[in-house]
Amino acid sequence: MALYSVWDWNRNVYRVYTTPRHVSVGDDPLPPKPLGISPIGANPDSDVKPLPSGTRFIGYDHFARGEIRRMPSGALDLGDDAGVGGNFWTQPLVMFAAGAGAVVMYYAWKRKRTQRNGRRR
């Protein structure tokens, strides 16, 4: 299993994630080098690779376990395995579509209900 750590700014600890796929030492022999490093270092919220798809939250830790990653910033933010990072249902585009569908269904139900109640009178 591969372990990944993401810094949680609200709790000041690392959120630890795991994936079911196995990795061996040497899969990534050249670590990625962030572009545009400032004199005080790289920005962990933008210069680090996002979580790969299929990760599962397992807990919090004060020390980083595995590789340090960042949370995906949007529906089109791809991880290093070319899959959408994180859970499919938490992606902003999916949540927007589900919410819009729920609103349309509610108004259709309400319209049908008022038409049916209007005919009974």
Side-chain angles (χ1 to χ4, degrees):
M1 285 192 302
L3 292 174
Y4 300 99
S5 296
V6 176
W7 182 252
D8 187 346
W9 292 98
N10 296 325
R11 293 181 179 244
N12 290 328
V13 293
Y14 284 99
R15 294 176 58 91
V16 181
Y17 295 86
T18 185
T19 57
R21 70 178 178 160
H22 293 282
V23 294
S24 64
V25 177
D27 278 351
D28 193 7
L30 296 174
K33 294 183 180 179
L35 301 174
I37 298 176
S38 70
I40 59 172
N43 181 359
D45 291 328
S46 62
D47 295 335
V48 179
K49 294 188 291 187
L51 282 173
S53 63
T55 56
R56 182 176 53 91
F57 175 71
I58 59 172
Y60 296 98
D61 200 344
H62 290 285
F63 300 100
R65 295 174 56 193
E67 189 176 346
I68 295 177
R69 295 288 185 105
R70 66 177 169 85
M71 293 301 291
S73 59
L76 299 177
D77 195 1
L78 301 177
D80 62 345
D81 60 351
V84 177
N87 186 352
F88 173 76
W89 295 107
T90 61
Q91 298 298 323
L93 187 61
V94 174
M95 289 192 305
F96 174 76
V103 168
V104 168
M105 288 175 54
Y106 171 75
Y107 281 110
W109 170 79
K110 188 175 178 183
R111 182 176 181 210
K112 189 175 183 179
R113 185 174 154 215
T114 35
Q115 286 176 352
R116 188 175 25 191
N117 289 342
R119 290 181 188 156
R120 289 184 183 171
R121 291 184 184 175

